Amino acid sequence: MRSAPPVDGASAPKGSTAVLLERARNGEAVALEELARRYLVVLRRWAHGRLPAKVHGFVDTDDLVQSTLARAFRRLDEFEPRGEGAFLAYLRQILLNQVRDEARRSKRTPEQVGLPDDLPAGGRSPVEEAIGSERLAGYESALSRLTESQRDAVIMRIELGYRYREVAEAMQLSSANAARMLVSRALLHLGELLKDHDDD
């Protein structure tokens, strides 16, 4: 597999994330708008899948996504682009932190609705909730132990639903098949790490 050249303002295509980030750092509002447009739908879809049902009454997915973009845009000078997928991974981490914060906040907020005693139980039990949380924590832990390129590839393909061609473009791989191979290897490694986590 040939290695792709580094992304910078001189070599990247006009519409690349690296170029837009550089323009945004120089104060171009149009570049910020394009970055927001580019990532809004993908982040919204990811956040909706991750936001616990209990939290939906307290916070709106769109608000979390908007807040994520605002935080990222305020810290553009701190972000070092390492490729097209790096900014998406950066946004995902900010969003994940906010989802976790909201989940913790919702646990501290008491329910305000009284329920009748004869109401049948619905949804998952506390044990099932704990097992689900534990599995998610295990996944995040395993994900953090992958290489950066493996982690970015898994996030784009599995969590965000990118096609292999889109993963290849974002990561500057030579082809969709190269992206498929990277994702496959990453998922194998992730599976091994999750199995080790479950055995502990």
Side-chain angles (χ1 to χ4, degrees):
M1 179 175 73
R2 73 177 175 79
S3 60
V7 176
D8 58 36
S11 64
K14 285 286 184 208
S16 76
T17 300
V19 168
L20 288 171
L21 286 169
E22 189 59 35
R23 288 171 48 202
R25 283 190 181 110
N26 291 329
E28 287 188 40
V30 173
L32 282 175
E33 289 171 15
E34 174 58 24
L35 284 167
R37 186 196 63 74
R38 182 171 292 187
Y39 292 107
L40 191 66
V41 172
V42 135
L43 290 173
R44 187 182 294 141
R45 183 172 62 226
W46 185 88
H48 185 73
R50 283 300 181 93
L51 205 57
K54 185 178 175 181
V55 176
H56 282 291
F58 295 99
V59 67
D60 183 58
T61 302
D62 286 341
D63 291 341
L64 274 185
V65 170
Q66 293 287 345
S67 175
T68 295
L69 290 170
R71 286 182 188 198
F73 292 163
R74 279 195 303 268
R75 300 178 188 158
L76 281 183
D77 290 336
E78 301 171 17
F79 175 72
E80 295 180 29
R82 299 174 312 274
E84 286 290 293
F87 190 62
L88 179 59
Y90 179 64
L91 290 173
R92 176 198 178 271
Q93 189 58 54
I94 294 172
L95 184 53
L96 180 59
N97 290 341
Q98 290 196 103
V99 166
R100 287 174 175 158
D101 289 346
E102 291 300 332
R104 279 193 293 270
R105 193 173 294 124
S106 74
K107 286 179 183 175
R108 291 192 304 262
T109 306
E111 290 285 337
Q112 300 296 319
V113 179
L115 297 175
D117 291 336
D118 61 347
L119 184 70
R124 293 161 35 149
S125 71
V127 173
E128 289 170 315
E129 287 287 341
I131 290 170
S133 299
E134 188 176 307
R135 290 293 295 168
L136 182 59
Y139 166 76
E140 290 294 343
S141 173
L143 194 65
S144 71
R145 293 169 59 195
L146 296 177
T147 66
E148 186 177 313
S149 61
Q150 287 178 332
R151 184 169 52 250
D152 289 351
V154 167
I155 289 167
M156 282 187 265
R157 175 66 185 148
I158 305 304
E159 295 188 20
L160 302 173
Y162 276 34
R163 296 185 189 95
Y164 288 114
R165 176 184 51 78
E166 293 169 324
V167 174
E169 288 171 7
M171 299 189 69
Q172 295 185 310
L173 301 173
S174 59
S175 66
N177 196 44
R180 184 178 289 108
M181 289 171 59
L182 176 60
V183 170
S184 295
R185 289 188 187 120
L187 289 174
L188 280 172
H189 190 191
L190 186 67
E192 291 166 2
L193 292 169
L194 281 170
K195 185 177 183 307
D196 291 344
H197 181 272
D198 288 345
D199 290 344
D200 290 344

PDB file of all heavy atoms in Angstrom, residues 96-128:
ATOM      1  N   LEU A  96     -18.181  12.769  22.845  1.00  0.00           N
ATOM      2  CA  LEU A  96     -18.251  11.655  23.794  1.00  0.00           C
ATOM      3  C   LEU A  96     -18.135  12.166  25.232  1.00  0.00           C
ATOM      4  O   LEU A  96     -18.878  11.736  26.119  1.00  0.00           O
ATOM      5  CB  LEU A  96     -17.149  10.635  23.504  1.00  0.00           C
ATOM      6  CG  LEU A  96     -17.082   9.414  24.418  1.00  0.00           C
ATOM      7  CD1 LEU A  96     -18.373   8.616  24.377  1.00  0.00           C
ATOM      8  CD2 LEU A  96     -15.902   8.533  24.039  1.00  0.00           C
ATOM      9  N   ASN A  97     -17.231  13.110  25.464  1.00  0.00           N
ATOM     10  CA  ASN A  97     -17.084  13.682  26.803  1.00  0.00           C
ATOM     11  C   ASN A  97     -18.374  14.378  27.244  1.00  0.00           C
ATOM     12  O   ASN A  97     -18.783  14.275  28.398  1.00  0.00           O
ATOM     13  CB  ASN A  97     -15.911  14.668  26.839  1.00  0.00           C
ATOM     14  CG  ASN A  97     -14.575  13.959  26.722  1.00  0.00           C
ATOM     15  OD1 ASN A  97     -14.461  12.771  26.960  1.00  0.00           O
ATOM     16  ND2 ASN A  97     -13.558  14.697  26.331  1.00  0.00           N
ATOM     17  N   GLN A  98     -19.022  15.072  26.317  1.00  0.00           N
ATOM     18  CA  GLN A  98     -20.271  15.753  26.657  1.00  0.00           C
ATOM     19  C   GLN A  98     -21.397  14.763  26.939  1.00  0.00           C
ATOM     20  O   GLN A  98     -22.199  14.974  27.854  1.00  0.00           O
ATOM     21  CB  GLN A  98     -20.677  16.698  25.519  1.00  0.00           C
ATOM     22  CG  GLN A  98     -19.768  17.898  25.413  1.00  0.00           C
ATOM     23  CD  GLN A  98     -20.393  18.981  24.563  1.00  0.00           C
ATOM     24  OE1 GLN A  98     -20.890  19.966  25.086  1.00  0.00           O
ATOM     25  NE2 GLN A  98     -20.383  18.787  23.259  1.00  0.00           N
ATOM     26  N   VAL A  99     -21.458  13.674  26.156  1.00  0.00           N
ATOM     27  CA  VAL A  99     -22.466  12.637  26.394  1.00  0.00           C
ATOM     28  C   VAL A  99     -22.263  12.039  27.787  1.00  0.00           C
ATOM     29  O   VAL A  99     -23.218  11.846  28.548  1.00  0.00           O
ATOM     30  CB  VAL A  99     -22.400  11.539  25.302  1.00  0.00           C
ATOM     31  CG1 VAL A  99     -23.194  10.310  25.708  1.00  0.00           C
ATOM     32  CG2 VAL A  99     -22.901  12.082  23.966  1.00  0.00           C
ATOM     33  N   ARG A 100     -21.007  11.774  28.147  1.00  0.00           N
ATOM     34  CA  ARG A 100     -20.714  11.225  29.476  1.00  0.00           C
ATOM     35  C   ARG A 100     -21.112  12.208  30.575  1.00  0.00           C
ATOM     36  O   ARG A 100     -21.683  11.814  31.596  1.00  0.00           O
ATOM     37  CB  ARG A 100     -19.226  10.895  29.587  1.00  0.00           C
ATOM     38  CG  ARG A 100     -18.823   9.673  28.793  1.00  0.00           C
ATOM     39  CD  ARG A 100     -17.333   9.485  28.837  1.00  0.00           C
ATOM     40  NE  ARG A 100     -16.940   8.248  28.179  1.00  0.00           N
ATOM     41  CZ  ARG A 100     -15.730   8.023  27.698  1.00  0.00           C
ATOM     42  NH1 ARG A 100     -14.783   8.932  27.807  1.00  0.00           N
ATOM     43  NH2 ARG A 100     -15.456   6.879  27.115  1.00  0.00           N
ATOM     44  N   ASP A 101     -20.803  13.495  30.348  1.00  0.00           N
ATOM     45  CA  ASP A 101     -21.176  14.518  31.337  1.00  0.00           C
ATOM     46  C   ASP A 101     -22.686  14.564  31.532  1.00  0.00           C
ATOM     47  O   ASP A 101     -23.175  14.651  32.667  1.00  0.00           O
ATOM     48  CB  ASP A 101     -20.678  15.901  30.895  1.00  0.00           C
ATOM     49  CG  ASP A 101     -19.164  16.040  31.000  1.00  0.00           C
ATOM     50  OD1 ASP A 101     -18.525  15.180  31.647  1.00  0.00           O
ATOM     51  OD2 ASP A 101     -18.620  17.004  30.420  1.00  0.00           O
ATOM     52  N   GLU A 102     -23.425  14.510  30.426  1.00  0.00           N
ATOM     53  CA  GLU A 102     -24.888  14.564  30.512  1.00  0.00           C
ATOM     54  C   GLU A 102     -25.446  13.326  31.203  1.00  0.00           C
ATOM     55  O   GLU A 102     -26.403  13.412  31.971  1.00  0.00           O
ATOM     56  CB  GLU A 102     -25.516  14.719  29.127  1.00  0.00           C
ATOM     57  CG  GLU A 102     -25.270  16.064  28.479  1.00  0.00           C
ATOM     58  CD  GLU A 102     -25.822  17.230  29.285  1.00  0.00           C
ATOM     59  OE1 GLU A 102     -26.810  17.051  30.030  1.00  0.00           O
ATOM     60  OE2 GLU A 102     -25.261  18.336  29.182  1.00  0.00           O
ATOM     61  N   ALA A 103     -24.842  12.167  30.939  1.00  0.00           N
ATOM     62  CA  ALA A 103     -25.297  10.931  31.585  1.00  0.00           C
ATOM     63  C   ALA A 103     -25.073  11.011  33.089  1.00  0.00           C
ATOM     64  O   ALA A 103     -25.945  10.640  33.881  1.00  0.00           O
ATOM     65  CB  ALA A 103     -24.576   9.726  30.993  1.00  0.00           C
ATOM     66  N   ARG A 104     -23.910  11.532  33.508  1.00  0.00           N
ATOM     67  CA  ARG A 104     -23.637  11.694  34.940  1.00  0.00           C
ATOM     68  C   ARG A 104     -24.607  12.696  35.563  1.00  0.00           C
ATOM     69  O   ARG A 104     -25.119  12.483  36.653  1.00  0.00           O
ATOM     70  CB  ARG A 104     -22.191  12.153  35.151  1.00  0.00           C
ATOM     71  CG  ARG A 104     -21.174  11.027  35.082  1.00  0.00           C
ATOM     72  CD  ARG A 104     -19.832  11.475  35.590  1.00  0.00           C
ATOM     73  NE  ARG A 104     -19.210  12.470  34.738  1.00  0.00           N
ATOM     74  CZ  ARG A 104     -18.409  12.199  33.715  1.00  0.00           C
ATOM     75  NH1 ARG A 104     -18.130  10.946  33.423  1.00  0.00           N
ATOM     76  NH2 ARG A 104     -17.885  13.165  32.998  1.00  0.00           N
ATOM     77  N   ARG A 105     -24.847  13.791  34.849  1.00  0.00           N
ATOM     78  CA  ARG A 105     -25.750  14.828  35.364  1.00  0.00           C
ATOM     79  C   ARG A 105     -27.170  14.277  35.534  1.00  0.00           C
ATOM     80  O   ARG A 105     -27.842  14.567  36.516  1.00  0.00           O
ATOM     81  CB  ARG A 105     -25.740  16.022  34.396  1.00  0.00           C
ATOM     82  CG  ARG A 105     -26.379  17.271  34.965  1.00  0.00           C
ATOM     83  CD  ARG A 105     -26.187  18.464  34.033  1.00  0.00           C
ATOM     84  NE  ARG A 105     -24.789  18.834  33.937  1.00  0.00           N
ATOM     85  CZ  ARG A 105     -24.099  18.906  32.792  1.00  0.00           C
ATOM     86  NH1 ARG A 105     -24.681  18.656  31.645  1.00  0.00           N
ATOM     87  NH2 ARG A 105     -22.843  19.257  32.801  1.00  0.00           N
ATOM     88  N   SER A 106     -27.603  13.463  34.574  1.00  0.00           N
ATOM     89  CA  SER A 106     -28.970  12.924  34.656  1.00  0.00           C
ATOM     90  C   SER A 106     -29.115  11.964  35.827  1.00  0.00           C
ATOM     91  O   SER A 106     -30.188  11.851  36.415  1.00  0.00           O
ATOM     92  CB  SER A 106     -29.356  12.225  33.352  1.00  0.00           C
ATOM     93  OG  SER A 106     -28.696  10.981  33.229  1.00  0.00           O
ATOM     94  N   LYS A 107     -28.040  11.280  36.210  1.00  0.00           N
ATOM     95  CA  LYS A 107     -28.093  10.370  37.359  1.00  0.00           C
ATOM     96  C   LYS A 107     -28.253  11.133  38.669  1.00  0.00           C
ATOM     97  O   LYS A 107     -28.831  10.637  39.614  1.00  0.00           O
ATOM     98  CB  LYS A 107     -26.828   9.512  37.415  1.00  0.00           C
ATOM     99  CG  LYS A 107     -26.791   8.422  36.374  1.00  0.00           C
ATOM    100  CD  LYS A 107     -25.513   7.630  36.471  1.00  0.00           C
ATOM    101  CE  LYS A 107     -25.459   6.587  35.365  1.00  0.00           C
ATOM    102  NZ  LYS A 107     -24.178   5.880  35.343  1.00  0.00           N
ATOM    103  N   ARG A 108     -27.698  12.357  38.699  1.00  0.00           N
ATOM    104  CA  ARG A 108     -27.799  13.168  39.918  1.00  0.00           C
ATOM    105  C   ARG A 108     -29.122  13.907  40.016  1.00  0.00           C
ATOM    106  O   ARG A 108     -29.475  14.408  41.077  1.00  0.00           O
ATOM    107  CB  ARG A 108     -26.659  14.192  39.942  1.00  0.00           C
ATOM    108  CG  ARG A 108     -25.291  13.575  40.140  1.00  0.00           C
ATOM    109  CD  ARG A 108     -24.270  14.637  40.450  1.00  0.00           C
ATOM    110  NE  ARG A 108     -24.194  15.675  39.441  1.00  0.00           N
ATOM    111  CZ  ARG A 108     -23.292  15.737  38.460  1.00  0.00           C
ATOM    112  NH1 ARG A 108     -22.405  14.782  38.354  1.00  0.00           N
ATOM    113  NH2 ARG A 108     -23.294  16.727  37.606  1.00  0.00           N
ATOM    114  N   THR A 109     -29.863  13.988  38.895  1.00  0.00           N
ATOM    115  CA  THR A 109     -31.129  14.720  38.892  1.00  0.00           C
ATOM    116  C   THR A 109     -32.270  13.766  39.212  1.00  0.00           C
ATOM    117  O   THR A 109     -32.510  12.821  38.473  1.00  0.00           O
ATOM    118  CB  THR A 109     -31.382  15.361  37.507  1.00  0.00           C
ATOM    119  OG1 THR A 109     -30.250  16.153  37.167  1.00  0.00           O
ATOM    120  CG2 THR A 109     -32.632  16.214  37.520  1.00  0.00           C
ATOM    121  N   PRO A 110     -32.995  13.992  40.303  1.00  0.00           N
ATOM    122  CA  PRO A 110     -34.085  13.063  40.647  1.00  0.00           C
ATOM    123  C   PRO A 110     -35.247  13.177  39.681  1.00  0.00           C
ATOM    124  O   PRO A 110     -35.487  14.239  39.104  1.00  0.00           O
ATOM    125  CB  PRO A 110     -34.505  13.526  42.053  1.00  0.00           C
ATOM    126  CG  PRO A 110     -34.062  14.948  42.137  1.00  0.00           C
ATOM    127  CD  PRO A 110     -32.856  15.082  41.248  1.00  0.00           C
ATOM    128  N   GLU A 111     -35.938  12.059  39.503  1.00  0.00           N
ATOM    129  CA  GLU A 111     -37.136  12.055  38.662  1.00  0.00           C
ATOM    130  C   GLU A 111     -38.221  12.906  39.309  1.00  0.00           C
ATOM    131  O   GLU A 111     -38.415  12.853  40.523  1.00  0.00           O
ATOM    132  CB  GLU A 111     -37.659  10.619  38.501  1.00  0.00           C
ATOM    133  CG  GLU A 111     -36.786   9.731  37.649  1.00  0.00           C
ATOM    134  CD  GLU A 111     -36.903  10.045  36.177  1.00  0.00           C
ATOM    135  OE1 GLU A 111     -37.925  10.615  35.753  1.00  0.00           O
ATOM    136  OE2 GLU A 111     -35.962   9.729  35.435  1.00  0.00           O
ATOM    137  N   GLN A 112     -38.938  13.657  38.509  1.00  0.00           N
ATOM    138  CA  GLN A 112     -39.973  14.542  39.022  1.00  0.00           C
ATOM    139  C   GLN A 112     -41.380  13.971  38.844  1.00  0.00           C
ATOM    140  O   GLN A 112     -42.346  14.594  39.211  1.00  0.00           O
ATOM    141  CB  GLN A 112     -39.894  15.899  38.297  1.00  0.00           C
ATOM    142  CG  GLN A 112     -38.561  16.616  38.479  1.00  0.00           C
ATOM    143  CD  GLN A 112     -38.311  16.988  39.923  1.00  0.00           C
ATOM    144  OE1 GLN A 112     -39.230  17.427  40.622  1.00  0.00           O
ATOM    145  NE2 GLN A 112     -37.090  16.801  40.390  1.00  0.00           N
ATOM    146  N   VAL A 113     -41.486  12.780  38.255  1.00  0.00           N
ATOM    147  CA  VAL A 113     -42.793  12.211  37.935  1.00  0.00           C
ATOM    148  C   VAL A 113     -43.088  11.059  38.882  1.00  0.00           C
ATOM    149  O   VAL A 113     -42.272  10.154  39.037  1.00  0.00           O
ATOM    150  CB  VAL A 113     -42.802  11.692  36.471  1.00  0.00           C
ATOM    151  CG1 VAL A 113     -44.144  11.084  36.135  1.00  0.00           C
ATOM    152  CG2 VAL A 113     -42.466  12.806  35.510  1.00  0.00           C
ATOM    153  N   GLY A 114     -44.283  11.086  39.519  1.00  0.00           N
ATOM    154  CA  GLY A 114     -44.704   9.986  40.357  1.00  0.00           C
ATOM    155  C   GLY A 114     -45.305   8.875  39.509  1.00  0.00           C
ATOM    156  O   GLY A 114     -46.012   9.132  38.536  1.00  0.00           O
ATOM    157  N   LEU A 115     -45.006   7.623  39.858  1.00  0.00           N
ATOM    158  CA  LEU A 115     -45.514   6.486  39.096  1.00  0.00           C
ATOM    159  C   LEU A 115     -46.402   5.628  39.987  1.00  0.00           C
ATOM    160  O   LEU A 115     -46.113   5.442  41.170  1.00  0.00           O
ATOM    161  CB  LEU A 115     -44.353   5.633  38.575  1.00  0.00           C
ATOM    162  CG  LEU A 115     -43.398   6.315  37.595  1.00  0.00           C
ATOM    163  CD1 LEU A 115     -42.238   5.390  37.267  1.00  0.00           C
ATOM    164  CD2 LEU A 115     -44.131   6.697  36.322  1.00  0.00           C
ATOM    165  N   PRO A 116     -47.475   5.072  39.421  1.00  0.00           N
ATOM    166  CA  PRO A 116     -48.331   4.187  40.220  1.00  0.00           C
ATOM    167  C   PRO A 116     -47.601   2.903  40.584  1.00  0.00           C
ATOM    168  O   PRO A 116     -46.733   2.438  39.861  1.00  0.00           O
ATOM    169  CB  PRO A 116     -49.511   3.903  39.280  1.00  0.00           C
ATOM    170  CG  PRO A 116     -49.041   4.240  37.912  1.00  0.00           C
ATOM    171  CD  PRO A 116     -47.960   5.268  38.057  1.00  0.00           C
ATOM    172  N   ASP A 117     -47.971   2.300  41.734  1.00  0.00           N
ATOM    173  CA  ASP A 117     -47.305   1.091  42.220  1.00  0.00           C
ATOM    174  C   ASP A 117     -47.536  -0.109  41.317  1.00  0.00           C
ATOM    175  O   ASP A 117     -46.699  -1.011  41.272  1.00  0.00           O
ATOM    176  CB  ASP A 117     -47.808   0.738  43.634  1.00  0.00           C
ATOM    177  CG  ASP A 117     -47.343   1.762  44.652  1.00  0.00           C
ATOM    178  OD1 ASP A 117     -46.318   2.439  44.385  1.00  0.00           O
ATOM    179  OD2 ASP A 117     -48.003   1.886  45.705  1.00  0.00           O
ATOM    180  N   ASP A 118     -48.658  -0.136  40.617  1.00  0.00           N
ATOM    181  CA  ASP A 118     -48.969  -1.308  39.804  1.00  0.00           C
ATOM    182  C   ASP A 118     -48.480  -1.177  38.355  1.00  0.00           C
ATOM    183  O   ASP A 118     -48.815  -2.004  37.515  1.00  0.00           O
ATOM    184  CB  ASP A 118     -50.474  -1.582  39.818  1.00  0.00           C
ATOM    185  CG  ASP A 118     -51.275  -0.406  39.244  1.00  0.00           C
ATOM    186  OD1 ASP A 118     -50.697   0.685  39.077  1.00  0.00           O
ATOM    187  OD2 ASP A 118     -52.474  -0.596  38.968  1.00  0.00           O
ATOM    188  N   LEU A 119     -47.673  -0.183  38.074  1.00  0.00           N
ATOM    189  CA  LEU A 119     -47.156  -0.003  36.722  1.00  0.00           C
ATOM    190  C   LEU A 119     -46.166  -1.116  36.416  1.00  0.00           C
ATOM    191  O   LEU A 119     -45.224  -1.343  37.189  1.00  0.00           O
ATOM    192  CB  LEU A 119     -46.458   1.359  36.605  1.00  0.00           C
ATOM    193  CG  LEU A 119     -45.957   1.733  35.214  1.00  0.00           C
ATOM    194  CD1 LEU A 119     -47.145   2.015  34.283  1.00  0.00           C
ATOM    195  CD2 LEU A 119     -45.060   2.957  35.288  1.00  0.00           C
ATOM    196  N   PRO A 120     -46.366  -1.857  35.295  1.00  0.00           N
ATOM    197  CA  PRO A 120     -45.413  -2.928  34.977  1.00  0.00           C
ATOM    198  C   PRO A 120     -44.040  -2.347  34.634  1.00  0.00           C
ATOM    199  O   PRO A 120     -43.947  -1.258  34.084  1.00  0.00           O
ATOM    200  CB  PRO A 120     -46.034  -3.619  33.755  1.00  0.00           C
ATOM    201  CG  PRO A 120     -47.019  -2.659  33.203  1.00  0.00           C
ATOM    202  CD  PRO A 120     -47.438  -1.751  34.310  1.00  0.00           C
ATOM    203  N   ALA A 121     -43.010  -3.098  35.002  1.00  0.00           N
ATOM    204  CA  ALA A 121     -41.646  -2.639  34.715  1.00  0.00           C
ATOM    205  C   ALA A 121     -41.418  -2.645  33.213  1.00  0.00           C
ATOM    206  O   ALA A 121     -41.834  -3.552  32.504  1.00  0.00           O
ATOM    207  CB  ALA A 121     -40.642  -3.558  35.404  1.00  0.00           C
ATOM    208  N   GLY A 122     -40.777  -1.631  32.734  1.00  0.00           N
ATOM    209  CA  GLY A 122     -40.457  -1.552  31.317  1.00  0.00           C
ATOM    210  C   GLY A 122     -38.996  -1.215  31.141  1.00  0.00           C
ATOM    211  O   GLY A 122     -38.357  -0.698  32.043  1.00  0.00           O
ATOM    212  N   GLY A 123     -38.464  -1.511  29.999  1.00  0.00           N
ATOM    213  CA  GLY A 123     -37.067  -1.178  29.736  1.00  0.00           C
ATOM    214  C   GLY A 123     -36.131  -2.144  30.424  1.00  0.00           C
ATOM    215  O   GLY A 123     -36.507  -3.209  30.888  1.00  0.00           O
ATOM    216  N   ARG A 124     -34.878  -1.708  30.543  1.00  0.00           N
ATOM    217  CA  ARG A 124     -33.851  -2.572  31.108  1.00  0.00           C
ATOM    218  C   ARG A 124     -33.773  -2.418  32.611  1.00  0.00           C
ATOM    219  O   ARG A 124     -34.014  -1.363  33.159  1.00  0.00           O
ATOM    220  CB  ARG A 124     -32.507  -2.201  30.478  1.00  0.00           C
ATOM    221  CG  ARG A 124     -32.488  -2.541  29.010  1.00  0.00           C
ATOM    222  CD  ARG A 124     -31.440  -1.842  28.209  1.00  0.00           C
ATOM    223  NE  ARG A 124     -30.195  -1.600  28.878  1.00  0.00           N
ATOM    224  CZ  ARG A 124     -29.017  -1.550  28.282  1.00  0.00           C
ATOM    225  NH1 ARG A 124     -28.949  -1.737  26.994  1.00  0.00           N
ATOM    226  NH2 ARG A 124     -27.923  -1.280  28.941  1.00  0.00           N
ATOM    227  N   SER A 125     -33.448  -3.522  33.274  1.00  0.00           N
ATOM    228  CA  SER A 125     -33.275  -3.502  34.720  1.00  0.00           C
ATOM    229  C   SER A 125     -31.971  -2.783  35.057  1.00  0.00           C
ATOM    230  O   SER A 125     -31.120  -2.602  34.190  1.00  0.00           O
ATOM    231  CB  SER A 125     -33.217  -4.932  35.246  1.00  0.00           C
ATOM    232  OG  SER A 125     -31.995  -5.522  34.849  1.00  0.00           O
ATOM    233  N   PRO A 126     -31.796  -2.417  36.340  1.00  0.00           N
ATOM    234  CA  PRO A 126     -30.526  -1.804  36.739  1.00  0.00           C
ATOM    235  C   PRO A 126     -29.319  -2.678  36.421  1.00  0.00           C
ATOM    236  O   PRO A 126     -28.269  -2.181  36.054  1.00  0.00           O
ATOM    237  CB  PRO A 126     -30.686  -1.609  38.252  1.00  0.00           C
ATOM    238  CG  PRO A 126     -32.159  -1.481  38.456  1.00  0.00           C
ATOM    239  CD  PRO A 126     -32.777  -2.384  37.429  1.00  0.00           C
ATOM    240  N   VAL A 127     -29.472  -4.010  36.565  1.00  0.00           N
ATOM    241  CA  VAL A 127     -28.365  -4.909  36.236  1.00  0.00           C
ATOM    242  C   VAL A 127     -28.049  -4.844  34.745  1.00  0.00           C
ATOM    243  O   VAL A 127     -26.885  -4.747  34.347  1.00  0.00           O
ATOM    244  CB  VAL A 127     -28.699  -6.364  36.658  1.00  0.00           C
ATOM    245  CG1 VAL A 127     -27.643  -7.321  36.166  1.00  0.00           C
ATOM    246  CG2 VAL A 127     -28.861  -6.449  38.158  1.00  0.00           C
ATOM    247  N   GLU A 128     -29.091  -4.876  33.930  1.00  0.00           N
ATOM    248  CA  GLU A 128     -28.872  -4.785  32.483  1.00  0.00           C
ATOM    249  C   GLU A 128     -28.245  -3.447  32.118  1.00  0.00           C
ATOM    250  O   GLU A 128     -27.378  -3.382  31.250  1.00  0.00           O
ATOM    251  CB  GLU A 128     -30.199  -4.961  31.735  1.00  0.00           C
ATOM    252  CG  GLU A 128     -30.735  -6.376  31.783  1.00  0.00           C
ATOM    253  CD  GLU A 128     -32.147  -6.468  31.248  1.00  0.00           C
ATOM    254  OE1 GLU A 128     -32.981  -5.613  31.608  1.00  0.00           O
ATOM    255  OE2 GLU A 128     -32.412  -7.403  30.470  1.00  0.00           O
TER     256      GLU A 128
END
